[in-house]
Structure formats: C-alpha cells, structure tokens
C-alpha cells in the first residue's frame, strides 16, 4: 500500500468514491469540505486501486483539526467493501499509514471517527487518546406508527401539547434568519463560516431550516437539517426558553424526522448526539439506537496532551 496526495478540486471522481464507500457521508463531500477550508485529500492505494481517502483539515500552525469535532463523521472513508478478516487486516494497514503521515506532518491532531469494526487500537498504540462519544440513529424504514411507539410517553405527550398552541411551522430556505440558531457562537469568523456552510447545503438541496413561529413573537424554535443519499443529520437547534414548556423542542425533532422519512425518503435519522447527560437522555427518549464513535487526540508534546481532560462533560 502507498499514499498519494491530491488537490480536492482536481479529483474528478471524488464524489463517486465517497458515495460508493462503506462510510462516506455529506460531511465527506467536496462542497462541504471546501467550506471547512479542506484543499487536499490523502488517498491510500493498494497497487493502482484506491482503498481509502482521508480529507486533510490543515492549518498554518501544523495542526490537523477537524471542524466541527462535534459531528461523528470525520476521519477515514473506506472505499473498498470489507468482507473478511483479510480485508480488515488491510484496514489496520491503512490506519498505520495514515498515523505515520499525520505524526510526521503535524504537531497536534484532532478528529472524529465511527470505527467500521470498533478497532481504534492502532491509534491507542501510537499514543492517541480516544474520547468516547455517542450519537443516536433512528431507523426510518419503520412505519410512522412504529416510530412513535418507540418514543417515550413524554415525547408523544410533548408533541401533542405543541398542537394546542397557535404555532406555525414551516421550512424556510429562501430568507434565512439564522441569528437565533447560531446564538451559541460568539466568534464572528466561526459564525460566518457556519452561515456559509448552511447556505451552501441549502443551495445544493442538501439542507433545510425548520422554523416554529408564534404569531406575535416571531421565531421561537429552529432546527437545521442536512442529508445525503442515506441519512439525515441534525446540525443545530434553537428553542426559546420561554416556550420550551409547550413541547416545541420535541415538535421540531419529530417534524424533522417526518420530513426525512416522507419527503427526503432516506433510511436513517441521526441526532448528532451528545455526551452531556441531559441532552443524551433527551435524545434517547426518541427511541433511536445508540452509536459509539470516538474523537481521537494526539500532540507531539505528549505530556501536554495528558493535561487536557477530554472527559469533563460538565
């Protein structure tokens, strides 16, 4: 096996590679990566066949830092399907090549990964610290009735409660009002990048902004949803605290689930989970299946890395 590096814009077959891969997502596509400043892609070849690709989140400080880290879908995209033990040994060889390249070229490395076979030992063996994370995935091939039955009684009650008030819900992709959904972003540069990302996904018909209005107050809740050929993903959510008691958070998520199933016709819905206790418990009540993933961290000065508490989720 060997490594070759290509300019992202010059890889004409890049999108096809991602779509036919085992684990490619919207977060690996060319348009999405370009909004994150990714210009180069590392390709792992077995003879003359591309086995895997790895987008390079580079910056001027020699740091490899995936943005955002909150999404589970970074890291390695395996183009070739794996069927047996021999194939999975190839995967370890891929990991070793990528680790060697990363450690030779960067002083700090941070990215997320959903391991295809839960094997992150090659990273641990090279002094990467694995940060355990979880998301929740809902199976949208079930009937709507079964989807609701898998939800907790609190979620079903909140959903019904939200209809008692005179709220209006729509999908507004023309005149984006995003100041509220990005309320948590203080850095103006980051806010501009996130706004650019949302507008691009909407323009490419890969994203939508769901809004809940109160006639007198205006927007009281928002959810940004993006999707690819197999799954829809929650990206950002805003709920006005004054109206939370009316079940609008649950209403937003369920409307997004119904939109993904009935309009987009994708097979999965990803809550883009959290390890914060309150948020994780809330997501779990929708009845999705827990999915493990890892954030992987490494620093050239390993003693500095050990000072960082990646497990302080308060």
């Amino acid at each position: 096996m060997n490594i070759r590096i290509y300019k992202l814009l010059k890889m004409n077959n890049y999108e096809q590679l991602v779509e036919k891969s085992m684990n490619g997502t919207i977060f690996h596509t060319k348009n999405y990566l370009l909004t994150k400043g990714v210009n180069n892609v590392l390709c792992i070849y077995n003879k003359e066949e591309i086995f895997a690709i790895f987008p390079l989140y580079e910056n001027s400080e020699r740091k490899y830092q995936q943005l955002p880290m909150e999404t589970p879908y970074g890291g390695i995209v395996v183009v070739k399907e794996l069927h047996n033990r021999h194939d999975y040994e190839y995967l370890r060889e891929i990991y070793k090549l990528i680790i060697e390249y990363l450690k030779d070229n960067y002083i700090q490395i941070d990215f997320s990964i959903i391991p295809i076979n839960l094997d992150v030992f090659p990273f641990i063996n090279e002094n990467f610290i694995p940060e355990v994370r979880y998301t929740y995935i809902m199976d949208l091939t079930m009937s709507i009735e079964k989807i609701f039955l898998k939800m907790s009684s609190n979620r079903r009650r909140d959903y019904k409660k939200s209809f008692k008030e005179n709220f209006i819900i729509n999908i507004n992709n023309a005149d984006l009002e995003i100041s509220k959904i990005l309320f948590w972003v203080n850095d103006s540069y980051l806010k501009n990048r996130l706004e650019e990302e949302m507008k691009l996904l909407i323009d490419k018909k890969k994203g939508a902004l769901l809004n809940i209005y109160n006639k007198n107050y205006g927007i009281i809740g928002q959810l940004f949803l993006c999707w690819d050929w197999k799954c829809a993903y929650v990206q950002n959510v805003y709920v006005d605290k004054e109206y939370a008691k009316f079940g609008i958070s649950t209403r937003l998520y369920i409307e997004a689930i119904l939109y993904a199933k009935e309009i987009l016709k994708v097979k999965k819905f990803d809550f883009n989970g959290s390890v914060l206790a309150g948020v994780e418990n809330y997501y779990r009540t929708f009845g999705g299946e827990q999915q493990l993933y890892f954030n992987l961290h490494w620093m050239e000065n390993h003693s500095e890395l050990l000072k960082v508490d990646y497990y302080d989720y308060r």
Side-chain angles (χ1 to χ4, degrees):
M1 285 192 174
N2 62 86
I3 283 177
R4 304 175 198 176
I5 297 174
Y6 296 105
K7 292 289 184 184
L8 179 59
L9 284 172
K10 292 186 176 181
M11 285 190 69
N12 296 327
N13 64 336
Y14 180 82
E15 298 294 288
Q16 290 82 3
L17 291 172
V18 171
E19 288 192 22
K20 79 171 189 178
S21 69
M22 292 185 67
N23 60 329
T25 67
I26 184 73
F27 307 106
H28 298 106
T29 57
K30 187 179 291 187
N31 286 321
Y32 182 87
L33 291 174
L34 289 172
T35 70
K36 301 300 181 184
V38 174
N39 296 311
N40 299 310
V41 179
L42 188 151
C43 296
I44 298 89
Y45 278 79
N46 183 24
K47 297 180 180 178
E48 291 303 311
E49 180 185 13
I50 295 180
F51 204 105
I53 54 181
F54 187 74
L56 295 176
Y57 284 83
E58 303 170 293
N59 62 37
S60 58
E61 299 175 338
R62 290 187 61 224
K63 295 179 180 179
Y64 182 103
Q65 293 180 309
Q66 175 191 317
L67 296 171
M69 280 295 285
E70 286 73 19
T71 179
Y73 302 101
I76 300 138
V77 179
V78 180
V79 175
K80 188 182 187 311
E81 288 193 22
L82 306 179
H83 298 289
N84 51 47
R85 186 190 64 80
H86 186 66
D87 286 341
Y88 282 104
E89 288 301 316
Y90 271 135
L91 188 58
R92 278 215 165 183
E93 290 300 314
I94 290 171
Y95 286 171
K96 287 168 65 177
L97 283 171
I98 289 174
I99 290 167
E100 182 179 342
Y101 175 86
L102 292 174
K103 292 177 72 173
D104 283 347
N105 288 277
Y106 306 106
I107 62 172
Q108 181 175 338
I109 304 162
D110 303 281
F111 67 93
S112 68
I113 181 172
I114 289 184
I116 291 172
N117 60 340
L118 300 183
D119 180 15
V120 292
F121 184 76
F123 294 94
I124 296 170
N125 199 39
E126 291 292 334
N127 294 321
F128 280 72
I129 289 183
E131 176 192 356
V132 176
R133 310 282 298 190
Y134 295 99
T135 185
Y136 281 88
I137 310 290
M138 178 174 284
D139 178 8
L140 297 184
T141 64
M142 296 185 295
S143 66
I144 291 174
E145 292 76 14
K146 190 168 183 179
I147 288 173
F148 273 94
L149 283 174
K150 291 196 74 173
M151 295 180 191
S152 73
S153 57
N154 285 340
R155 295 291 72 79
R156 294 196 296 269
R157 185 166 55 247
D158 280 350
Y159 184 63
K160 290 178 182 178
K161 186 193 303 181
S162 70
F163 284 92
K164 293 180 181 179
E165 302 296 324
N166 193 23
F167 298 143
I168 302 167
I169 187 160
N170 72 7
I171 295 175
N172 183 358
N173 290 336
D175 184 22
L176 285 183
E177 171 53 66
I178 64 171
S179 59
K180 292 189 175 182
I181 200 167
L182 296 179
F183 72 98
W184 53 275
V185 184
N186 296 317
D187 181 85
S188 59
Y189 174 76
L190 178 57
K191 183 172 284 190
N192 288 336
R193 292 294 293 269
L194 291 172
E195 181 177 351
E196 178 187 349
E197 174 191 323
M198 291 168 65
K199 288 180 176 178
L200 174 74
L201 289 169
I202 288 172
D203 182 59
K204 298 296 182 181
K205 301 190 184 326
K206 294 295 182 182
L209 185 64
L210 282 72
N211 302 283
I212 292 185
Y213 295 88
N214 174 290
K215 282 187 176 180
N216 299 320
Y217 189 78
I219 293 174
I220 56 174
Q222 292 182 308
L223 183 150
F224 187 75
L225 189 72
C226 66
W227 57 86
D228 52 35
W229 49 95
K230 57 187 175 184
C231 186
Y233 312 85
V234 176
Q235 284 292 86
N236 289 294
V237 180
Y238 160 76
V239 173
D240 190 296
K241 292 180 180 178
E242 295 296 318
Y243 289 86
K245 62 185 178 183
F246 296 109
I248 62 170
S249 175
T250 297
R251 176 75 179 277
L252 276 170
Y253 278 100
I254 292 179
E255 293 290 349
I257 290 166
L258 295 175
Y259 183 79
K261 177 175 175 60
E262 297 180 327
I263 306 300
L264 303 177
K265 300 189 184 303
V266 293
K267 294 181 178 180
K268 295 180 180 180
F269 183 91
D270 191 332
F271 288 83
N272 250 342
S274 174
V275 288
L276 295 172
V279 178
E280 191 272 343
N281 285 335
Y282 178 70
Y283 286 162
R284 190 155 46 86
T285 61
F286 285 91
E289 297 294 323
Q290 190 182 73
Q291 168 73 67
L292 170 70
Y293 72 100
F294 297 96
N295 286 344
L296 295 171
H297 307 279
W298 178 88
M299 284 184 185
E300 191 173 65
N301 184 349
H302 193 62
S303 61
E304 288 297 313
L305 180 64
L306 296 176
K307 294 177 184 177
V308 182
D309 186 357
Y310 290 110
Y311 292 92
D312 184 2
Y313 298 130
R314 291 170 294 176

